[in-house]
Every structure is written in structure tokens, then in C-alpha cells.
Amino acid sequence: MEETVLANKETRSSSKFIIEEWNGSSSTKLFKTATITASPYLSIQRSGSRFNHVWRRVLQAFGFPSSVTPDYAPFQVWDSLQGLSTYIRTMLSTQALLSAIGVGEKSATVIGATFQWFLRDLTGMLGGILFTFYKGSDLDSNAKMWRLVADLMNDLGMLMDLLSPLFPSAFIFVVCLGSLSRSFTGVASGATRAALTQHFALQNNVADISAKEGSQETVATMIGMALGMILARITMGLPLAIWLSFLSLTVFHMYANYRAVRCLALTSLNIERSAILFQHFMETSQVLSPEQVSRIEHVLPKWITSWSSKKVKLLQANVRLGVRVSSLDHQERMEALLSAQYHYLKAKYLLVEREGIINVAIHKNSTASDVLQSYIHALVMAKLMGKSTSVYLESQSWMDKQYEVFLHKLSSSGWKTGRLLSPPIIWKANWTDVSSDDKID
């Protein structure tokens, strides 16, 4: 027994056992920093230079390289550039606003300036509440578009501040209009940022990503304020130089914002992305990747530009999701009753076709997956319009055979198929077969 123990000790003493130290926030992207050995003496060998280690720590502190999605880096580059231009222009617009209020003039009174500033802030607060009331629930479904709209409204607000000294008789109206515009920016920008942060969080580390974005914004703010102070000093008393600088930076700001949202490859399904994916699947039996769809979907508001794909636009335009049953006309209500009785008695949604429009009534007990299924079913009916004499039967046949295949291919391509991001559905319905007293739960 003693001989066996001694032999084991001699074997361990003659073998070379090492411990390696690795650094990184993800198991897929680690860097070896040190190796500890005990043969023949305890020793440690460090890998890489001290500078490389510090540099990796700095990158990790700002969200790079492994704890975020691949589109995070290009988005943040353009987002930081647009933020930089915003802070520079803020110095110019604030300088003009303070001048209009009367800072530096003997005739100006403290109470007058305070009252004007109060009205400006009050208008902004009321505007933010009203915007949230009317559009707050729609921000998730169109995060890219509202991100651009938010920055456009911010540009308009700063333009109003810069114009305020030119219209002293309408000063209150101009600055309140600018504050109202910026209030829309605050709500839309904050809400869309939260949605994008969830998308970026590769490891469900939303708080971590938010902190890193805060660090990046702080750096951009400090640089922008410094450059803005220099520019304000240089252009002081030169209206033409101020306007040229402001307009040039505004054009760059909008371009950087457009490039930023174009970098995003969101994996959630909204009204437009679902229509694009369905249209392509019907034509090729294949599913586009999030990167491919991001290059097709529109990011500008509809009143600025039209869709690149007219077919997708027409297909989506023929679907009314979450329709109010009582708002249907007499013929449509009659068709809804017949459809509920013969086609959708056990379903969680109801489809009614009338004059080429597919009206979708959602059951009061429907789930998120039911809403997605109802929308895809409506797209199938819209696609078959004019090509089939039995739209209801053929669309249901397609759903029975192809819907699960479609969802599986979506999931395999990286899409989140748990829900459809759509405007809030506030009107729902419940249908019952009174003759058999069979109520749908």
C-alpha cells in the first residue's frame, strides 16, 4: 500500500500540470492572459501585453466585442456621430435662445425670463403626455421609423430655438413650438432606445448594455459640448456662419441617423417584416434572414417615401387587424356571422373578406401567437384574392399544410416567432353557437 502511494506521488511530481487564465465576457470570445505551471517550480507566464489587456477592458466597458449582437457596433458608431452633431448644434441654438430671452441686456428682467422659460417647459411636458397617449403603444412595432422621426422632431425643435431671435413679437409661440417638438423626441427616442437595447442584449444583459450606452453617450456629450463651445465662440456675431454651420450639421445628423437605423437587423416580427417574409416564402418557399429583410424594409415615414416593394405594400394594405365588429356594415356583419359559424367556430380569430379587404376580428381570449397566426392567415387570403373562387377553403388549406413549416423556417433563420409587433388591438370579439350553447373560451 505504501509503495502504491509513493509511486503515485512520483508520477504526479514527474508530470507537468498547468492552470490557464482566460479573460472575456463570453465563452466564445476569450483571451488567454496567463499560464501557471508547477514543474519543476511554481511559475506564471503572462500572455499578451499589459496594453492589450487594458484595451480589451475598455472595449468591454463600452459594449464590445462579445456581449452584443453584430449590428450593435456599426449602429453605435453612427449613433455616436449623430449625437455629436446634436450637442454641437445645441450650443448654437441655446446661445440664440438665451439671446432672445434677453440674457446680457439691461432691459431684461429675471421674472420675465423665468416666466418665458416656464411656459416653454410646460408646453413640452403637455406635449409629451399627449404624444404618449396617441402614439405610445405604436413605438414598439415601428422602432426604426420612430427613431428617425424622433431625431427629425429634435432638429425641428432646435431650428425653432435658432429662429426665435428673428421673431421677437412671436417669441413665446416659436419657443413653445420648439419645446413641443422636442417633447415628442424625448418620448419616442426613449421608448425606441429601450426596444433596441433589448435587441442588442445578446446574453439578456439589458442593464449592462444600457450602462455601456450611457458611457458612450457621456463621451459623445463631452466632446460635442467642447466642439460646440469652440464653434459658438468662432461664429459669435456672424449670423451667416451660424446658419451655415447649423444647417450643415443638421444634414449630417439626419444622414447619420439614417445610416444607423439601416445597420439594424431586428429579429422581431412586425406588420411590414411579416408581409415581406410571407411574400418571399410564397414565391420561393424560402425565408429571408433578418439582414436581408433589413435592406428591404422601409425606415422612413410613409408620407416621405413609398415602399421599395409595391406588392408587399398592396398585400399589407388589404389587411385590417383588430377590426371593431360593430363598425362593419350590414353585409359584412352577416358574413362575419356565417364565417364564425362555418369556418372559425373553434378559432381564436375571425376573417371577413369584403371588397378585397380582409378584416380580422381577434377573439377576447386570444394569445400573442393567435394574433400572429391571424395576420398570416389574412395575408394568405389577400394573396389568393382574384386567383381563387374559394378563398376561405384554400387559405385554410394553406394554413394547415404550410403555416408550421413557415414558422419553423423563420425560427431556423433567427426570427422570433412568439408574437407579432403590431399597433395595440383594443377591440376584440367573442362568438358563440347559441343553438348548441357551445361558448368559445
Side-chain angles (χ1 to χ4, degrees), residues 122-428:
L122 180 63
T123 304
M125 294 174 187
L126 294 176
I129 294 174
L130 290 175
F131 182 78
T132 303
F133 178 77
Y134 284 105
K135 288 295 182 181
S137 301
D138 190 36
L139 300 177
D140 266 332
S141 57
N142 292 291
K144 287 186 177 183
M145 184 197 73
W146 283 113
R147 179 74 181 178
L148 279 180
V149 171
D151 286 291
L152 177 63
M153 298 304 290
N154 189 42
D155 291 339
L156 181 61
M158 285 191 287
L159 178 63
M160 292 297 102
D161 288 345
L162 201 61
L163 285 172
S164 59
L166 304 180
F167 301 94
S169 59
F171 171 76
I172 294 295
F173 175 77
V174 173
V175 296
C176 287
L177 184 62
S179 180
L180 185 67
S181 179
R182 274 193 300 273
S183 69
F184 299 161
T185 300
V187 176
S189 180
T192 54
R193 170 58 73 176
L196 295 181
T197 300
Q198 286 186 328
H199 162 71
F200 290 138
L202 193 62
Q203 303 169 359
N204 294 323
N205 51 336
V206 175
D208 179 38
I209 299 301
S210 298
K212 292 170 181 177
E213 289 175 353
S215 299
Q216 297 166 22
E217 186 172 353
T218 300
V219 173
T221 301
M222 292 188 296
I223 297 175
M225 290 176 62
L227 294 177
M229 287 291 292
I230 296 173
L231 183 61
R233 183 69 177 177
I234 294 174
T235 59
M236 183 179 297
L238 302 173
L240 182 60
I242 292 175
W243 278 101
L244 285 175
S245 300
F246 181 85
L247 294 177
S248 300
L249 288 168
T250 300
V251 171
F252 174 77
H253 174 255
M254 292 309 302
Y255 173 75
N257 268 294
Y258 179 80
R259 290 296 303 270
V261 296
R262 271 299 181 195
C263 292
L264 294 172
L266 302 182
T267 57
S268 56
L269 296 175
N270 66 358
I271 296 295
E272 179 186 357
R273 287 191 285 272
S274 299
I276 293 173
L277 289 165
F278 167 77
Q279 180 81 7
H280 185 79
F281 181 78
M282 288 287 284
E283 295 173 355
T284 66
S285 297
Q286 299 298 322
V287 168
L288 296 172
S289 67
E291 291 76 17
Q292 290 173 313
V293 174
S294 68
R295 293 191 290 267
I296 299 174
E297 67 176 326
H298 86 288
V299 295
L300 296 174
K302 296 178 182 178
W303 48 270
I304 293 180
T305 183
S306 60
W307 286 20
S308 59
S309 177
K310 298 295 183 182
K311 292 182 180 179
V312 173
K313 179 182 180 180
L314 293 175
L315 199 62
Q316 178 194 354
N318 292 339
V319 177
R320 294 171 57 197
L321 186 62
V323 69
R324 185 180 181 184
V325 178
S326 62
S327 67
L328 302 175
D329 60 31
H330 176 75
Q331 185 64 31
E332 290 172 335
R333 287 196 293 269
M334 181 62 67
E335 188 171 348
L337 288 172
L338 293 175
S339 297
Q341 182 178 0
Y342 293 107
H343 300 292
Y344 305 103
L345 186 59
K346 297 294 184 180
K348 296 298 183 182
Y349 57 89
L350 178 66
L351 304 183
V352 179
E353 184 274 326
R354 182 69 173 169
E355 297 181 354
I357 301 298
I358 312 299
N359 298 291
V360 185
I362 303 298
H363 195 275
K364 69 182 185 70
N365 295 330
S366 62
T367 62
S369 59
D370 293 327
V371 174
L372 175 60
Q373 182 176 350
S374 70
Y375 181 64
I376 299 300
H377 196 163
L379 290 177
V380 176
M381 288 188 64
K383 181 70 174 177
L384 294 175
M385 290 298 301
K387 300 180 181 179
S388 173
T389 56
S390 181
V391 175
Y392 287 101
L393 293 178
E394 289 199 22
S395 64
Q396 187 60 56
S397 176
W398 189 96
M399 292 294 292
D400 294 338
K401 297 177 182 179
Q402 298 293 330
Y403 181 66
E404 292 299 329
V405 176
F406 181 49
L407 286 188
H408 177 71
K409 289 189 175 183
L410 287 176
S411 299
S412 300
S413 299
W415 292 99
K416 298 177 181 178
T417 59
R419 59 174 295 204
L420 174 72
L421 294 180
S422 65
I425 300 175
I426 59 176
W427 296 108
K428 297 190 177 183

Side-chain angles (χ1 to χ4, degrees), residues 21-24 31-34 46-60:
E21 178 186 76
W22 294 75
N23 175 259
F31 300 92
K32 186 167 68 172
T33 57
R46 300 191 181 276
S47 304
S49 64
R50 184 70 176 174
F51 173 78
N52 290 336
H53 176 68
V54 173
W55 179 245
R56 285 196 297 268
R57 296 287 293 179
V58 171
L59 291 179
Q60 291 171 10

